[in-house]
Amino acid sequence: QVQLVESGGGLVQPGGSLRLSCAASGGIFSSFAMAWYRQAPGKQRELVAAITNTGTTNYADSVKGRFTISRDNAKNTVYLQMNSLKPEDTAVYYCNAGAGPRIPGTVKYAFNYWGQGTQVTVSS
């Protein structure tokens, strides 16, 4: 019922910037916790940034100070502004929505939705 569509990925040089967007349909967007994950080839999917329904944010240490997550509830959209990009940021970036109660001891929610991902490649 909830669909997430990412956009904004592409090829960028080291030190460059990209802004990813994730447009949601279905559900009550303003009640969702939103997050960006990424997965590089041969590596596990990792949490990059998250924002709660009240606007609290957290970031992976590797992107702190470089990436900013934000949301626009009027547009049902979450963004990931990525600055000072590094080759190690290369990955498929996935939008995630969490709804319902959070599972204790985890960052997961009772209901979890994923986009199809958008490729970010940082290379000269």
Side-chain angles (χ1 to χ4, degrees):
Q1 191 170 89
V2 175
Q3 294 185 342
L4 306 173
V5 180
E6 301 98 335
S7 63
L11 175 64
V12 65
Q13 293 184 337
S17 298
L18 285 173
R19 189 177 78 158
L20 306 183
S21 298
C22 172
S25 60
I28 305 174
F29 178 81
S30 60
S31 72
F32 297 160
M34 301 297 299
W36 289 95
Y37 288 75
R38 68 186 181 188
Q39 186 168 25
K43 299 183 66 177
Q44 292 185 329
R45 183 173 57 189
E46 64 174 341
L47 177 65
V48 177
I51 183 167
T52 70
N53 63 314
T54 58
T56 301
T57 60
N58 70 285
Y59 300 90
D61 288 342
S62 60
V63 307
K64 193 170 297 183
R66 300 188 297 120
F67 291 10
T68 302
I69 188 170
S70 62
R71 66 192 298 159
D72 186 340
N73 289 341
K75 296 182 178 180
N76 288 358
T77 301
V78 64
Y79 304 95
L80 184 67
Q81 178 67 47
M82 304 185 294
N83 299 326
S84 302
L85 283 162
K86 305 175 181 180
E88 51 262 46
D89 295 319
T90 296
V92 177
Y93 284 71
Y94 296 93
C95 182
N96 168 263
R102 186 167 62 87
I103 300 173
T106 75
V107 296
K108 299 178 180 179
Y109 290 79
F111 299 94
N112 203 254
Y113 307 95
W114 294 92
Q116 292 300 307
T118 185
Q119 177 71 48
V120 172
T121 302
V122 184
S123 179
S124 298

